[in-house]
Amino acid sequence: MTSSPSIVPVVLAGTRFPDRFLWGAATSAYQIEGSPLADGAGASIWHRFAHTPGRVHNGDTGDIACDHYRRAADDVALMREMGLAAYRLSIAWGRILPDGRGRVNRPGLAFYERLVDLLLASNIQPVITLYHWDLPAALEDHGGWLNPDSAAWFADYADVVVRALDDRVHLWVTLNEPWVVADGGYVRGVLAPGHTSLAEAARVAHHLLRAHAAAVDAYRASGRHQIGLVVNLEPQTPASLDERDRAAADRADAYFNRQYLDPVFLGVYPEALRTVYGDAWPHAAMEEAATIRRPIDFLGVNYYSRSVVRADPAAFPTGAGRVRQPHSAYTDMDWEVYPAGLTDILRWVRDRYGPIPLYVTENGAAFPDPPTVDGALLEDPQRVAYFRSHLQAAHAAIAAGVDLRGYFAWSLLDNFEWNYGYAKRFGIVHVDHATQRRTPKASARFYADVIRSNGESIGRDVG
Ligand code: FCB
């Protein structure tokens, strides 16, 4: 496999991926672990949020989730059967530091040490995300991400974890999807901590990026391997050639995509953010953007969908409203299925920010599944089709010269989908939340074939 499209046309190259391409699946702590307060752990903002009536669909919480905290060994065995080469997990900050800072809770750390050892014993490379949205509640009581000290809190926590695990973990992620933290948690209020203030969101976004930078510095001092950031990216396509729609798409792109990557790679914030945030924009952030920029070893891209947008003054805060595509399929999240967007966004990252190694750190789809029949494989043809088309799109990016090093399916297990509770199923393995029984879906078998053939089987029917 060559990375030069001019030498090997895509059609001849098939869909074989580069040797050593990292095939994985992803989860996050609060979404699967359960036992949130076990062994001395401190509560997180998600524990609080889910226990606040009316916040999560059906009153669901992560108290049990997939009971992974107690079933980790079985879940690793499942991953081994599938042939996964890597597993992206996140660490619950409050298990390590119950108060968010200060005292280290050894049993919490021991849980992740055991998990990492189990993975390595199965030849599965652990990829660790340090923050997947579950801030210790004790820190929220001090303002959480609104407090400028949050960057230092995060770096201190990162240092504790890195010192314990860097001998065995070679790929580290600082934050998962800072845009979702700021937009969902502080603009729309649908995610923890449930605030609705554009001015707060702007400050939180900036503090998250400062925290990312501080954790990278901490890693350079004590870690020996690689650290990067994970962002969710979504192409923002204007619905027409009309200048107003194009300007709306540019604002949406600045808000959704460039707000997080421009400071990290270029040391500046996009000017368009002043229009999006208006008076809510903290002007000091513009000057501080330069302090966020520092080399990272890779970028993780979470890709689910694109947005086609038109100018719509009622669409807050960007003035860019989504336009439904009548000829497209939509997932159970009401996200358009648009595989070409994955190729486009990976190429865009390379073109705008340079040849940084990339991973697709999440990609997948929620669809309602048919009921499980004892022992039988569960058929999920829409999810199989989603993975097939997006893997082809990832391959097309490689054929176009993008340095894509790995792909992680979201998600290994049906899990707690935040404010949707257990109502949305993203797993390639079905979880019966009443019995905790795991049943692989056809998409798990499809993915196992892809891994075994290093991509060659992508175009074949699932047999
Ligand atoms: C991403 C999150 C992940 C999951 C998927 C569906 O935004 O990182 O935890 O919720 O979406």
Side-chain angles (χ1 to χ4, degrees):
M1 180 65 226
T2 168
S3 61
S4 170
S6 54
I7 300 173
V8 180
V10 179
V11 65
L12 290 183
T15 49
R16 198 175 171 79
F17 280 68
D19 297 342
R20 291 203 305 279
F21 191 78
L22 201 59
W23 295 106
T27 63
S28 86
Y30 190 75
Q31 294 181 276
I32 66 162
E33 287 177 355
S35 308
L37 305 179
D39 301 327
S44 73
I45 54 171
W46 264 98
H47 182 72
R48 264 191 196 167
F49 192 73
H51 281 272
T52 307
R55 290 302 205 174
V56 174
H57 170 82
N58 195 39
D60 292 345
T61 73
D63 288 2
I64 298 175
C66 302
D67 199 23
H68 173 77
Y69 192 74
R70 301 190 307 162
R71 294 167 192 261
D74 295 344
D75 289 337
V76 172
L78 203 63
M79 296 179 215
R80 191 220 297 254
E81 275 164 39
M82 249 185 273
L84 292 186
Y87 173 54
R88 175 174 173 243
L89 64 126
S90 82
I91 289 194
W93 185 339
R95 290 200 196 280
I96 312 297
L97 302 168
D99 306 316
R101 50 194 171 151
R103 185 175 54 88
V104 175
N105 178 42
R106 290 286 154 198
L109 205 47
F111 167 71
Y112 294 106
E113 290 186 307
R114 270 196 313 275
L115 177 54
V116 162
D117 289 342
L118 282 166
L119 290 164
L120 292 174
S122 293
N123 261 322
I124 300 168
Q125 184 177 339
V127 178
I128 289 189
T129 303
L130 289 163
Y131 186 70
H132 202 125
W133 308 357
D134 45 359
L135 189 78
L139 295 181
E140 184 64 21
D141 294 339
H142 293 278
W145 292 114
L146 284 163
N147 189 326
D149 293 343
S150 52
W153 300 338
F154 183 59
D156 289 348
Y157 151 64
D159 185 62
V160 172
V161 179
V162 166
R163 282 179 196 280
L165 290 172
D166 192 61
D167 57 338
R168 288 159 280 177
V169 175
H170 298 174
L171 284 176
W172 293 88
V173 171
T174 54
L175 308 173
N176 179 69
E177 300 188 348
W179 178 82
V180 176
V181 175
D183 184 80
Y186 292 87
V187 179
R188 295 176 211 292
V190 295
L191 303 177
H195 298 192
T196 49
S197 156
L198 192 60
E200 285 190 2
R203 281 163 55 206
V204 162
H206 183 57
H207 292 161
L208 284 165
L209 288 172
R210 289 177 53 244
H212 156 77
V216 171
D217 290 348
Y219 188 78
R220 297 294 178 222
S222 57
R224 298 275 168 278
H225 302 98
Q226 302 205 329
I227 191 157
L229 170 71
V230 164
V231 287
N232 53 309
L233 297 180
E234 202 177 279
Q236 306 290 326
T237 312
S240 80
L241 293 176
D242 188 306
E243 201 38 57
R244 282 162 302 188
D245 290 346
R246 288 162 56 151
D250 183 64
R251 288 192 303 275
D253 181 52
Y255 178 64
F256 201 104
N257 301 320
R258 287 182 276 131
Q259 179 175 358
Y260 298 91
L261 294 184
D262 281 10
V264 167
F265 289 111
L266 309 175
V268 291
Y269 277 111
E271 275 300 317
L273 291 182
R274 292 189 203 267
T275 317
V276 173
Y277 287 95
D279 291 344
W281 183 256
H283 292 285
M286 285 294 186
E287 280 107 66
E288 269 185 33
T291 67
I292 288 162
R293 178 184 189 183
R294 67 213 352 81
I296 53 175
D297 300 310
F298 64 89
L299 180 73
V301 175
N302 294 352
Y303 177 80
Y304 289 94
S305 189
R306 69 158 171 181
S307 284
V308 179
V309 297
R310 67 180 165 79
D312 174 3
F316 185 75
T318 54
R322 278 197 187 197
V323 181
R324 212 181 161 79
Q325 300 302 293
H327 303 296
S328 290
Y330 281 76
T331 72
D332 203 21
M333 302 294 282
D334 213 22
W335 296 344
E336 184 190 356
V337 178
Y338 189 69
L342 177 57
T343 317
D344 295 347
I345 207 76
L346 293 172
R347 295 183 68 163
W348 174 80
V349 169
R350 188 265 320 266
D351 293 346
R352 184 170 176 84
Y353 302 110
I356 175 118
L358 300 178
Y359 292 86
V360 174
T361 33
E362 287 180 28
N363 176 239
F367 289 110
D369 289 325
T372 45
V373 181
D374 240 15
L377 185 99
L378 193 143
E379 296 296 340
D380 59 341
Q382 293 165 295
R383 192 173 290 102
V384 171
Y386 184 97
F387 280 122
R388 191 196 306 282
S389 58
H390 286 76
L391 286 166
Q392 281 164 337
H395 190 272
I398 295 173
V402 170
D403 185 7
L404 182 64
R405 307 249 173 125
Y407 173 95
F408 293 74
W410 183 272
S411 181
L412 177 70
L413 304 169
D414 287 336
N415 60 44
F416 177 81
E417 180 47 39
W418 308 112
N419 51 319
Y420 295 94
Y422 297 98
K424 306 291 179 195
R425 294 184 175 271
F426 275 92
I428 56 177
V429 173
H430 178 272
V431 177
D432 180 329
H433 293 296
T435 63
Q436 292 299 335
R437 185 186 170 123
R438 275 82 163 131
T439 309
K441 305 180 191 179
S443 51
R445 184 177 53 186
F446 167 79
Y447 193 43
D449 286 346
V450 168
I451 296 172
R452 211 173 303 120
S453 68
N454 201 20
E456 274 180 5
S457 67
I458 287 171
R460 275 183 232 141
D461 282 343
V462 195

